[in-house]
Amino acid sequence: MHVQGILSHIKRQVILTPEEEQFFTSLLIPVKLKQGEFIEEAGEITTNFIHVNSGCLMTYYTDKDGNDHVVQFSTAGWWTADLHSLTHQLPSIYSTRALADSEVFLLSKIRLEELLERYPVFERFFRIMFQNSLVTHQNRIVQSLSFTAEERYENFQQKYPQLEQYVPLKYIASYLGMTPEFLSKIRRKRMDK
Amino acid sequence: MHVQGILSHIKRQVILTPEEEQFFTSLLIPVKLKQGEFIEEAGEITTNFIHVNSGCLMTYYTDKDGNDHVVQFSTAGWWTADLHSLTHQLPSIYSTRALADSEVFLLSKIRLEELLERYPVFERFFRIMFQNSLVTHQNRIVQSLSFTAEERYENFQQKYPQLEQYVPLKYIASYLGMTPEFLSKIRRKRMDK
DNA sequence: GTAATTTCTTAATCTAGTTTAAGTCATCAC
DNA sequence: GTGATGACTTAAACTAGATTAAGAAATTAC
């Protein structure tokens, strides 16, 4: 496996030995998926914890009316999975697809458990990662409770300036909890200023 | 320290030795706080990771207009803290107060770090806790993106049936991201059916 | 190179949820 | 016991943001 990428992301906190590196499977995901090719699909049981090495993934929830809602964008260095599905081996409620050609490293449920069992440093690594992720998620909840659509967009631009350049606006609107039409309105209003 | 409570909550996953138990400080928090008495206040640096043994705490965010937004209710067995403030020793953005007379166990930042350092089982314990919490938080984000106010309330009732009995409705409305007036409207509508 | 598909915008209409304001109960202090 | 304070409701007016529909601009497909 080619570990340059994952190393550059993990190394600061955890050092992977060649032995440990073998736990991961590398995979290239094109933006346009062919028949039978996919990452994770709602309804299926999640089998892998995914680490994004390059490109960008999007995790979304499809509601009862068939509308998609973007839960997360995952760029290089991020991890993604339906943790509930992965842990309890129940059908996932999220789907994941690529927004750009992406290289990911897959860590299967079994491999993950082995890794945690054999190398306690990974318990620490994931504890810190989940802890940080929790802060981010709490922040987003606060924003959805107390910010206007415009404030949420401003905040998004400041926090993820690079994302707007290649993620279709309609997905950003979805992530921010508004319609693409309304985001368009906000953008024009800010152009006029 | 009286550890009956914390033991009953933690024991299923982690066994505390008498030595480990000494890391916690017990504290009783009345609903009505007197001058100088408080749990955590926005603006202050968070010093403790709080474990609720009995009663109920509420963590909230005060926005720029002075309006409070409930981020979390913490009943027996839950943990709460502004993790960002605790980790980086920066001013907290959340305040915490009791909704009922409560007994909590405090774990200071230093004690927490010692605990994680000396007893690796706690890395695992908190990793699992944060992981589960992440699932809950992600769920709440999805709900704020795709559920109506009424659906959110229904879901809340099913998930936390006991909370509605003693948490003032205005805080539940805040937690659910709606005004108390609108929650009142929903409740009447459902009474009529 | 042009048809087809997708992305983004504009604008009119509409509605879920807010705001404001007032009134009814409880609870609590003294 | 009564005055004050907080909890909950009702209802009218209002608005942030959704919906619908249509067109413009950009990408992709062959």
Side-chain angles (χ1 to χ4, degrees):
Chain A
M1 191 191 91
H2 190 252
V3 288
Q4 299 294 87
I6 206 165
L7 276 177
S8 76
H9 294 128
I10 292 188
K11 235 174 183 172
R12 273 160 241 151
Q13 289 171 82
V14 175
I15 292 149
L16 284 184
T17 62
E19 213 181 332
E20 286 161 15
E21 284 164 11
Q22 291 175 5
F23 280 84
F24 297 89
T25 313
S26 172
L27 188 64
L28 288 165
I29 303 160
V31 187
K32 300 264 162 159
L33 296 173
K34 285 162 201 139
Q35 184 64 24
E37 254 183 347
F38 67 95
I39 314 179
E40 293 288 348
E41 231 179 351
E44 309 282 312
I45 292 167
T46 302
T47 48
N48 291 298
F49 199 16
I50 300 172
H51 179 267
V52 181
N53 184 48
S54 68
C56 183
L57 305 187
M58 168 180 112
T59 302
Y60 58 99
Y61 170 79
T62 305
D63 69 21
K64 59 185 191 313
D65 302 321
N67 295 116
D68 292 340
H69 302 271
V70 177
V71 175
Q72 192 175 53
F73 296 116
S74 312
T75 49
W78 290 65
W79 292 78
T80 185
D82 182 330
L83 291 170
H84 192 252
S85 175
L86 187 71
T87 308
H88 302 100
Q89 294 290 287
L90 293 166
S92 172
I93 59 166
Y94 304 121
S95 301
T96 298
R97 41 162 290 208
L99 290 176
D101 292 338
S102 307
E103 188 187 21
V104 301
F105 296 123
L106 303 178
L107 184 58
S108 72
K109 179 183 163 65
I110 291 164
R111 286 294 196 177
L112 170 61
E113 282 165 1
E114 275 177 33
L115 202 66
L116 291 168
E117 198 80 20
R118 306 227 309 243
Y119 309 100
V121 71
F122 274 96
E123 283 287 4
R124 181 173 174 80
F125 173 72
F126 285 114
R127 193 264 299 162
I128 292 170
M129 195 182 79
F130 289 145
Q131 188 177 323
N132 291 337
S133 186
L134 206 49
V135 170
T136 307
H137 279 73
Q138 223 158 32
N139 247 305
R140 211 170 146 206
I141 289 170
V142 166
Q143 286 188 25
S144 81
L145 290 175
S146 66
F147 284 25
T148 61
E150 192 165 358
E151 287 167 336
R152 261 147 39 219
Y153 177 53
E154 266 167 30
N155 199 278
F156 176 83
Q157 284 190 309
Q158 276 174 23
K159 209 160 177 184
Y160 308 104
Q162 66 300 352
L163 266 185
E164 204 173 349
Q165 278 145 45
Y166 67 95
V167 173
L169 282 172
K170 61 175 183 170
Y171 297 134
I172 293 174
S174 171
Y175 176 86
L176 293 173
M178 67 187 82
T179 58
E181 291 85 354
F182 196 69
L183 178 54
S184 209
K185 211 169 174 175
I186 289 171
R187 281 159 60 83
R188 184 170 48 129
K189 210 170 104 190
R190 300 179 74 236
M191 293 265 288
D192 294 347
K193 281 179 189 169
Chain B
M1 191 191 90
H2 189 252
V3 289
Q4 298 294 88
I6 205 163
L7 276 177
S8 75
H9 295 129
I10 292 188
K11 236 173 180 170
R12 275 161 238 149
Q13 288 168 85
V14 174
I15 293 150
L16 282 185
T17 64
E19 211 181 333
E20 288 161 10
E21 283 164 11
Q22 290 174 7
F23 281 84
F24 296 89
T25 313
S26 173
L27 187 65
L28 287 166
I29 302 161
V31 188
K32 301 260 163 165
L33 295 174
K34 287 161 200 141
Q35 185 65 21
E37 252 183 350
F38 66 95
I39 314 179
E40 294 287 346
E41 231 180 351
E44 308 283 312
I45 292 168
T46 301
T47 47
N48 292 299
F49 199 16
I50 300 173
H51 179 267
V52 182
N53 185 49
S54 67
C56 183
L57 306 186
M58 166 180 111
T59 302
Y60 59 100
Y61 169 80
T62 306
D63 69 20
K64 58 184 193 310
D65 302 323
N67 294 116
D68 292 341
H69 302 272
V70 177
V71 175
Q72 192 175 54
F73 297 115
S74 311
T75 50
W78 291 65
W79 291 77
T80 185
D82 181 331
L83 292 171
H84 193 251
S85 174
L86 188 71
T87 308
H88 301 100
Q89 294 290 287
L90 292 167
S92 172
I93 59 166
Y94 304 121
S95 302
T96 298
R97 43 162 290 206
L99 289 175
D101 293 338
S102 307
E103 188 188 22
V104 302
F105 297 122
L106 303 179
L107 183 59
S108 73
K109 180 184 162 66
I110 291 164
R111 288 293 199 179
L112 170 61
E113 282 165 0
E114 276 176 34
L115 202 67
L116 291 168
E117 198 80 20
R118 305 225 310 243
Y119 309 101
V121 72
F122 274 95
E123 284 286 4
R124 182 175 174 80
F125 173 71
F126 284 115
R127 191 265 299 165
I128 291 170
M129 196 182 78
F130 289 145
Q131 187 177 324
N132 290 338
S133 187
L134 205 49
V135 169
T136 308
H137 279 73
Q138 221 157 35
N139 247 305
R140 208 167 148 209
I141 289 170
V142 165
Q143 286 187 26
S144 81
L145 289 176
S146 65
F147 283 26
T148 61
E150 191 165 359
E151 287 167 338
R152 263 148 36 220
Y153 177 54
E154 266 168 29
N155 199 277
F156 177 83
Q157 284 189 309
Q158 276 173 24
K159 209 161 177 184
Y160 308 104
Q162 66 299 354
L163 267 185
E164 203 172 349
Q165 278 147 42
Y166 66 96
V167 173
L169 283 173
K170 60 175 181 169
Y171 297 135
I172 293 175
S174 170
Y175 176 85
L176 294 174
M178 67 187 83
T179 57
E181 291 86 354
F182 196 68
L183 178 54
S184 207
K185 210 170 175 177
I186 289 172
R187 282 160 58 83
R188 184 170 47 129
K189 210 171 104 190
R190 299 178 75 233
M191 292 265 290
D192 294 347
K193 280 178 191 170

